[in-house]
Amino acid sequence: MATMRHVFITEKRQSLLDEMEQYVLGDQVDHDIMMFGTSFSYEVLDNFNRYKSTSWKELETPSNRFDSLFAYTFNLRQYDVWMHDNEGGMQGMLTDLAKMWNTLLKNSDEALEIDGEYTRHGVIQLLNDFKEAVESSYSDPPFEFQLEETQTAKADAHKQRFLSEFGEYVPPSDD
């Protein structure tokens, strides 16, 4: 359990995960065999710009923005071909995505309507995994996903508070 991260998936979040899968995959959603190439990265970039300029702006509460951005980012990570097969132009998307997350995560758990002990920490881990995947993918110049360190520190503080109440933390083994 010490090495696992959980995000509680509400009915609304599940619905948005499905919706954002369709948003990211476009015409390929629900296909048994999907074809990914450089053109997919263009679709991802175009869809992100549309998401940021329309869908994101229509979401009025921090909790709605959180659920939507979580679902969108999860699907970007899930279908990550765009990280490896693109012809540039993706850094602007990553910069904007990181800014959206950094701003959003400054809200309280109550405003985001999330569980601070699990969901916040789980999302921070998802973002750190996303950052690692993006920054280790081939790109010239290398991609950067600038998640603020304070977000990681905030999640660690929640974890420490939880552990002080419920038990001892056992770090993962190197095995």
Side-chain angles (χ1 to χ4, degrees):
M1 242 346 232
T3 60
M4 296 180 73
R5 302 295 179 257
H6 300 278
V7 174
F8 292 139
I9 304 298
T10 61
E11 288 180 21
K12 180 174 83 170
R13 265 182 221 135
Q14 183 60 56
S15 176
L16 284 166
L17 281 165
D18 295 339
E19 182 181 322
M20 290 302 165
E21 180 180 39
Q22 183 170 352
Y23 201 85
V24 169
L25 290 176
D27 293 339
Q28 296 193 74
V29 74
D30 296 329
H31 286 197
D32 292 333
I33 298 174
M34 293 183 257
M35 302 295 290
F36 296 106
T38 306
S39 62
F40 180 67
S41 66
Y42 296 132
E43 292 173 29
V44 166
L45 184 58
D46 290 343
N47 288 339
F48 175 78
N49 289 329
R50 188 170 54 250
Y51 174 77
K52 183 182 77 167
S53 65
T54 57
S55 301
W56 178 255
K57 289 183 178 182
E58 292 171 2
L59 300 168
E60 296 180 1
T61 66
S63 68
N64 286 339
R65 284 184 166 199
F66 176 87
D67 288 343
S68 177
L69 196 58
F70 164 73
Y72 188 78
T73 306
F74 179 87
N75 280 289
L76 279 181
R77 176 71 176 100
Q78 186 76 11
Y79 303 103
D80 65 353
V81 174
W82 61 269
M83 291 181 201
H84 311 286
D85 189 356
N86 66 77
E87 293 184 4
M90 306 305 280
Q91 184 57 57
M93 176 186 84
L94 293 169
T95 299
D96 289 348
L97 185 64
K99 285 179 185 176
M100 293 161 78
W101 272 115
N102 287 330
T103 300
L104 188 61
L105 289 171
K106 290 177 183 174
N107 287 283
S108 69
D109 296 339
E110 293 76 24
L112 296 174
E113 296 180 22
I114 62 172
D115 176 271
E117 303 303 336
Y118 292 101
T119 300
R120 181 177 288 270
H121 197 72
V123 167
I124 297 294
Q125 187 61 52
L126 169 73
L127 294 173
N128 284 329
D129 291 347
F130 182 83
K131 174 183 174 69
E132 183 179 326
V134 164
E135 292 181 354
S136 66
S137 67
Y138 174 76
S139 177
D140 188 23
F143 289 137
E144 292 181 21
F145 185 71
Q146 298 179 345
L147 185 65
E148 291 179 4
E149 292 299 320
T150 57
Q151 303 307 333
T152 303
K154 186 182 272 190
D156 287 342
H158 285 289
K159 178 176 130 184
Q160 291 305 319
R161 189 177 73 234
F162 175 80
L163 293 173
S164 69
E165 291 179 31
F166 298 106
E168 185 176 328
Y169 175 68
V170 179
S173 67
D174 291 334
D175 299 340

